[in-house]
Amino acid sequence: MDNYIEFKNIKKAFIGQLAVKNVSFSIRKGEIHALLGENGAGKTTLLNILHGLFPATEGEIFIGGKKVEFFDSKDAIKEGIAKVHQEINLVPEMTVMQNIMLGDEKRKGILLNKKQMYQETEEILKKLKCKFNAKDKVSRLNTGEKQMLQIAKALKGQAKIISFDEPTSSLSNNEVKTLFSIIKELKSQGITVIYISHKLDEIYELCDRATIMRDGEYINTFEIKGLDKSVLIKNMVGRDVEMFAKRQKPLRANYLQTVLSVEHISGKEGYEDISFNLYKGEILGFFGLVGAKRTEMMKGIFGATPLIQGKIYKNNKEIKNCSPYNAISHSIGFLPENRKEEGFIKDLNNTDNMALASLDYFERNFFQNKKQKYKNALEKGKRVGLMPNDPDFITRNLSGGNQQKVIVGKWLTTNADILIFDEPTKGIDVGSKADIYAIMEELLEEGKSIIMISSELPEIIGMSDRIIVMHEGKITGVLKREEFNEAEILLRAVGGKE
Amino acid sequence: MKTKFKNLNREISVLTALVVMTILFGIINPVFIGSDNLTDIINQSTIYGLMGLGMTFVIVSGGIDLSVGSAFALIGVIVSKLSVAGMPPLVVILTGLLIGFLLGAINGILISNMKLQPFIATMGTMSVFRGIAYVLSKGMPILNVPTQFRNTVDGIIAGNIRISIIIFAFFAIIFHVLLKETKFGNYVYAIGGNEESARLSGVKITFNKIMIYGIGMMGTSMAALVQIGKLGTGEASAAQGYELNAIAAVAIGGASMAGGRGGVVGTVLGAILFSALKVGLIVSGVETFYQYIATGLVIVIAAYIEIIQAKLADKKGMKLVKKEKKL
């Protein structure tokens, strides 16, 4: 077991901040090596240096004992270092073959050698046991197939080292299984795998060793076999955090007081005849698999997309939400699942992002009260545990967990009675998760009510007062806390019981 | 404070370019830095500047308005007709602004209600507005706009300073305050930064877009009114290609064509720089044909400077970190 990849004193500085501080460790040949850490720990930055996306400010990388220096990603690919991107990076209007060969087209004279390219593509697809063809259009593939295509693309150049950055965040359980068998297959071929994920279960199932980073620093490297999970978590966050989502305070739902009543709503997005009540002081969890239409249904309630039929009552009065503006004026808030696309405005700072849904409140004789906005951002930032809590900070430059906290801050600013949280902890670090759970409980204490969509069973079971399970646009079960049971919930989510 | 300074980076570099340019042209021909010439430069910047103010709103919101040149001609034809018919100057000005708002609102409706792409929608209205201007004027220039109106919008205050400069300054302040200090202005940035996110935060996209294009076009209205004051003639063929100059002023001023970034201060400086360059080239005896080349180069260079600035900022950041570590 020799050290194959060696990082020596790597430092990387971005505007005003060291993202990676003096990191040294090594990865063995042919192992699956996990990189762990909270968001903003510097894992992705370190990987990007290895892949030649940008140079290290200081330090050296050795591969197989030879010092390497990459000036762009092409150099790294030539050396056999491939990357499976965190976000799907494909051209939807082109075919599978065109995407795989993009940037490396084979030619015969000045014309494309399509025959050769199709042949090479088919070989790769066969090797990965993909179910789609080289001629399929990428826009027709589902998320899991797209992920496979990303891997196929990365593997094309005879990779010796391959990295995965949160590969399972958009995959269904079956797709995750396929992915894991592929990764294990890669390992058996002697390929070295670097694997970034927040999900500890995955690390235990897949990885040989794990390196932990925190705040840009190297913390430790562990053999996974026989290691206690709590050791990993403690090292990741540097403080004790409850391992799973758990209610810290007494339950306080008042089942005599209905705050939101949804009756027989349907939408063209595919949810049908949905009825449920939300009671004061409860967290109502919505569980389902991909395609359960939970997000679509909530967007319908929030007025972001039109309802075909059905009625919504708030505090026993009918409300008509024909736009998010109406919903907000009825004191309903919605924290969307896709932070970047829907959650915040990229060029605005924390002050403006947190104030955006409440500008009427900050208006004084037609002018915006900037001081008050700044104060609000400072106060809400403190409440949600924002780091750094700087209202002038551009939200885009924060880590994922902190971006999410800014969005939570935005809905705290509106002081809405009913909050719809759509996957509030998706892709964020353990520490931020704990902060967001704590805020949710505080909100209940203030007499507010929460709807939470989550696809993580431990989270939905730990945090909800009641769980509604959905399958393909329909409700397949309503469970009380004492009835919570993983198997039961999953059974209903796959449509096996109604 | 630190971030405020950082945000002004772009404005400072445009200002620096302006100063350097003034010194260079001054060395080539001292006439350039005469006070008459300098006020002339500002006088000439008012037209593109006023159009640029409105264009700033549109571009920051992530859109584009190609119809402003044609709208300029149409508004010019209408207001000169009204003025010749004997309508009092103030009423003419208000009517002109109102028509501008309505023309802009039409663009806004096409873009937000009918979901046309801004480029296509305003390319369509560009032709329609121009056509209406020709129909209304029957292709003939409208001559002899009364002196009373001309003095109201472009009279001389003292020496070489004209009322139009005051109007430009007044509009710039109003547009700046509207963009930076009001709810509407906040929404302009939010829509340009991420429209879906803004919508889910309760921003009424349709209403605000109509207002953006409407209010934006009022800058063009004022530019048309000032131009009629300067020339005394309204013409359907006026302002060909002005839309590109207005966009250039905004781009030089540092706005992002993708939306979400930019500001009135940058646009004002961009418009002045644009006009200083033109006057400077004339004063230096450069042939007209070369002036086109020079203007184009300035736009490209301005865009490139922004890219360099971003890189410098990254390096500066690294130095800061090193300093912090020493401490």
Side-chain angles (χ1 to χ4, degrees):
Chain A
M1 286 282 194
D2 52 335
N3 290 336
Y4 183 50
I5 309 169
E6 273 182 86
F7 296 97
K8 278 204 174 147
N9 305 92
I10 299 287
K11 282 179 202 166
K12 176 67 191 177
F14 290 115
I15 305 170
Q17 277 182 316
L18 266 178
V20 173
K21 306 169 190 166
N22 205 14
V23 166
S24 306
F25 71 98
S26 48
I27 295 173
R28 293 173 191 154
K29 194 173 175 98
E31 73 171 341
I32 302 178
H33 194 106
L35 264 184
L36 285 173
E38 296 188 88
N39 282 338
K43 303 161 298 191
T44 303
T45 309
L46 190 70
L47 264 196
N48 284 341
I49 295 170
L50 177 66
H51 287 292
L53 266 73
F54 38 67
T57 311
E58 277 175 43
E60 298 169 313
I61 298 176
F62 293 87
I63 293 179
K66 200 178 81 186
K67 186 182 167 183
V68 290
E69 206 169 345
F70 303 133
F71 295 100
D72 60 38
S73 53
K74 271 195 176 164
D75 292 347
I77 292 168
K78 255 186 233 155
E79 283 288 321
I81 304 174
K83 176 176 180 160
V84 177
H85 287 269
Q86 188 169 10
E87 272 135 28
I88 288 183
N89 237 329
L90 299 164
V91 188
E93 287 309 312
M94 286 164 63
T95 65
V96 167
M97 181 277 276
Q98 285 171 320
N99 269 285
I100 288 189
M101 291 295 165
L102 193 61
D104 186 31
E105 286 84 355
K106 302 289 179 292
R107 281 177 304 181
K108 212 192 298 176
I110 56 161
L111 300 175
L112 287 171
N113 186 348
K114 286 196 178 166
K115 205 177 148 194
Q116 189 196 343
M117 291 197 287
Y118 274 117
Q119 207 175 359
E120 284 185 24
T121 306
E122 294 290 359
E123 271 171 34
I124 301 167
L125 297 183
K126 217 192 229 169
K127 196 166 136 194
L128 290 179
K129 299 177 190 131
C130 295
K131 284 184 191 136
F132 48 89
N133 296 313
K135 286 186 179 164
D136 288 345
K137 239 189 192 178
V138 168
S139 56
R140 302 246 293 275
L141 304 183
N142 65 35
T143 316
E145 289 173 333
K146 283 181 188 158
Q147 184 86 37
M148 292 300 301
L149 179 53
Q150 296 259 80
I151 297 170
K153 194 176 168 181
L155 278 177
K156 175 193 56 181
Q158 297 305 312
K160 288 182 285 191
I161 299 165
I162 183 163
S163 74
F164 293 85
D165 194 347
E166 306 256 9
T168 60
S169 52
S170 51
L171 298 189
S172 71
N173 284 349
N174 270 336
E175 288 163 345
V176 170
K177 267 185 202 156
T178 319
L179 176 72
F180 283 7
S181 66
I182 291 161
I183 294 179
K184 284 172 185 164
E185 170 71 23
L186 294 176
K187 185 190 166 186
S188 71
Q189 291 174 11
I191 293 172
T192 308
V193 179
I194 304 174
Y195 191 87
I196 294 186
S197 173
H198 286 298
K199 297 177 186 160
L200 291 185
D201 295 340
E202 294 181 357
I203 307 289
Y204 273 84
E205 188 177 339
L206 206 58
C207 300
D208 301 304
R209 294 197 303 160
T211 289
I212 294 174
M213 291 179 70
R214 191 201 311 148
D215 299 331
E217 279 175 87
Y218 170 79
I219 302 298
N220 211 337
T221 302
F222 296 99
E223 294 280 344
I224 292 292
K225 224 175 184 180
L227 184 71
D228 199 64
K229 272 190 191 177
S230 61
V231 178
L232 275 185
I233 292 180
K234 230 180 227 174
N235 275 282
M236 274 164 73
V237 298
R239 57 184 189 273
D240 284 312
V241 180
E242 281 301 317
M243 252 177 87
F244 297 111
K246 220 190 269 175
R247 294 286 282 266
Q248 311 287 343
K249 295 172 181 162
L251 303 181
R252 51 188 312 115
N254 176 358
Y255 293 107
L256 297 174
Q257 198 177 345
T258 309
V259 286
L260 187 78
S261 179
V262 173
E263 290 185 1
H264 309 291
I265 59 165
S266 305
K268 66 174 187 318
E269 290 78 13
Y271 55 92
E272 263 174 69
D273 197 29
I274 304 284
S275 302
F276 66 87
N277 286 336
L278 173 71
Y279 299 104
K280 190 173 172 130
E282 81 165 336
I283 295 178
L284 178 58
F286 273 80
F287 185 81
L289 304 175
V290 176
K293 311 286 178 198
R294 292 167 297 164
T295 298
E296 291 79 356
M297 186 260 297
M298 290 305 169
K299 280 192 173 170
I301 293 173
F302 189 60
T305 51
L307 299 175
I308 298 174
Q309 58 173 45
K311 287 178 176 168
I312 300 168
Y313 300 85
K314 180 162 183 250
N315 297 331
N316 302 319
K317 254 187 245 152
E318 184 173 356
I319 56 169
K320 286 209 183 334
N321 292 339
C322 35
S323 72
Y325 175 84
N326 292 123
I328 292 167
S329 64
H330 286 122
S331 203
I332 300 175
F334 178 74
L335 182 124
E337 177 182 8
N338 301 316
R339 266 198 304 281
K340 281 184 190 147
E341 294 79 19
E342 303 180 333
F344 65 95
I345 312 280
K346 62 179 169 39
D347 289 312
L348 295 187
N349 61 21
N350 295 344
T351 304
D352 287 331
N353 265 313
M354 289 204 219
L356 186 60
S358 324
L359 293 191
D360 285 324
Y361 172 75
F362 293 109
E363 199 168 66
R364 298 282 174 281
N365 310 317
F366 195 60
F367 291 105
Q368 288 288 306
N369 187 337
K370 287 185 175 175
K371 259 188 206 156
Q372 200 191 350
K373 274 192 202 171
Y374 185 94
K375 232 177 85 186
N376 170 66
L378 203 61
E379 181 194 309
K380 297 293 184 299
K382 194 176 161 199
R383 196 170 155 196
V384 296
L386 191 63
M387 283 290 288
N389 187 14
D390 177 0
D392 284 333
F393 210 88
I394 304 292
T395 308
R396 176 188 48 198
N397 297 336
L398 292 168
S399 69
N402 281 307
Q403 287 172 355
Q404 190 73 313
K405 287 178 184 175
V406 170
I407 305 167
V408 172
K410 170 167 82 181
W411 294 112
L412 292 180
T413 306
T414 63
N415 203 21
D417 306 333
I418 295 173
L419 287 153
I420 304 171
F421 284 178
D422 191 355
E423 303 282 4
T425 66
K426 184 179 171 186
I428 71 175
D429 53 273
V430 186
S432 300
K433 272 188 189 183
D435 288 340
I436 284 174
Y437 296 145
I439 281 288
M440 287 169 72
E441 291 208 85
E442 271 182 40
L443 287 169
L444 299 184
E445 280 189 331
E446 288 173 13
K448 316 215 185 269
S449 315
I450 294 174
I451 292 174
M452 178 179 74
I453 298 181
S454 172
S455 301
E456 307 247 352
L457 268 177
E459 173 172 284
I460 204 124
I461 289 176
M463 291 305 294
S464 308
D465 288 279
R466 288 185 303 143
I467 295 175
I468 294 183
V469 186
M470 284 179 71
H471 172 70
E472 293 185 345
K474 286 184 184 142
I475 291 182
T476 51
V478 183
L479 302 174
K480 292 190 189 117
R481 200 168 168 87
E482 54 273 19
E483 298 166 340
F484 288 179
N485 171 318
E486 286 198 19
E488 175 80 15
I489 293 171
L490 271 174
L491 189 65
R492 289 173 189 273
V494 297
K497 186 174 168 188
E498 286 190 22
Chain B
M1 267 325 278
K2 211 168 69 187
T3 40
K4 259 190 186 162
F5 189 70
K6 227 189 278 166
N7 289 342
L8 277 178
N9 238 340
R10 178 64 187 206
E11 280 85 352
I12 287 168
S13 64
V14 180
L15 194 62
T16 316
L18 190 57
V19 171
V20 170
M21 195 186 276
T22 311
I23 293 169
L24 279 180
F25 283 129
I27 293 169
I28 295 169
N29 188 346
V31 170
F32 186 80
I33 40 174
S35 65
D36 273 6
N37 192 57
L38 290 181
T39 41
D40 234 27
I41 289 170
I42 303 202
N43 269 331
Q44 292 198 20
S45 72
T46 52
I47 300 294
Y48 298 148
L50 281 164
M51 293 174 83
L53 293 179
M55 191 63 82
T56 307
F57 274 51
V58 171
I59 286 177
V60 169
S61 80
I64 192 86
D65 190 347
L66 299 179
S67 73
V68 291
S70 300
F72 182 110
L74 174 55
I75 296 162
V77 165
I78 295 173
V79 295
S80 47
K81 277 200 163 205
L82 294 177
S83 188
V84 169
M87 198 184 254
L90 268 178
V91 184
V92 172
I93 292 170
L94 290 176
T95 314
L97 290 173
L98 180 69
I99 293 168
F101 179 83
L102 293 175
L103 295 180
I106 292 172
N107 284 330
I109 289 167
L110 292 177
I111 290 160
S112 61
N113 290 71
M114 295 166 65
K115 313 269 182 240
L116 293 179
Q117 284 179 343
F119 191 96
I120 300 298
T122 59
M123 198 164 78
T125 53
M126 173 166 123
S127 191
V128 172
F129 294 163
R130 181 74 67 186
I132 299 174
Y134 277 111
V135 170
L136 286 182
S137 65
K138 300 189 180 74
M140 302 298 285
I142 294 129
L143 304 169
N144 304 324
V145 173
T147 327
Q148 200 199 356
F149 174 80
R150 300 184 60 182
N151 283 338
T152 313
V153 290
D154 199 39
I156 288 171
I157 300 172
N160 205 5
I161 300 169
R162 290 175 176 277
I163 290 176
S164 55
I165 295 179
I166 308 293
I167 293 177
F168 180 31
F170 178 69
F171 265 65
I173 290 168
I174 289 183
F175 274 62
H176 177 75
V177 170
L178 202 55
L179 196 56
K180 294 286 181 187
E181 307 291 335
T182 70
K183 183 172 80 170
F184 172 66
N186 276 266
Y187 285 168
V188 175
Y189 282 100
I191 292 172
N194 185 340
E195 188 174 320
E196 184 56 17
S197 177
R199 192 173 78 97
L200 291 176
S201 299
V203 178
K204 292 184 195 162
I205 305 291
T206 310
F207 171 78
N208 280 290
K209 276 199 174 171
I210 294 171
M211 294 304 280
I212 287 165
Y213 283 87
I215 291 173
M217 193 63 96
M218 290 170 87
T220 296
S221 290
M222 200 60 237
L225 288 158
V226 167
Q227 181 89 320
I228 301 296
K230 284 186 191 293
L231 303 178
T233 315
E235 244 181 315
S237 61
Q240 308 263 13
Y242 277 26
E243 58 279 346
L244 295 182
N245 294 331
I247 294 168
V250 179
I252 292 171
S256 156
M257 287 294 138
R261 269 184 297 147
V264 164
V265 179
T267 299
V268 170
L269 290 171
I272 294 173
L273 187 129
F274 205 66
S275 136
L277 180 71
K278 279 196 167 175
V279 175
L281 291 171
I282 296 168
V283 172
S284 312
V286 176
E287 270 184 68
T288 329
F289 300 146
Y290 290 100
Q291 289 169 22
Y292 284 104
I293 300 175
T295 327
L297 288 178
V298 165
I299 296 171
V300 174
I301 291 168
Y304 188 57
I305 285 175
E306 185 161 77
I307 293 170
I308 296 174
Q309 270 183 336
K311 279 188 183 165
L312 286 180
D314 193 19
K315 275 191 185 161
K316 208 196 270 170
M318 271 153 51
K319 272 185 200 155
L320 270 177
V321 172
K322 278 184 187 163
K323 225 187 245 168
E324 271 168 30
K325 281 188 77 183
K326 272 179 195 162
L327 285 173

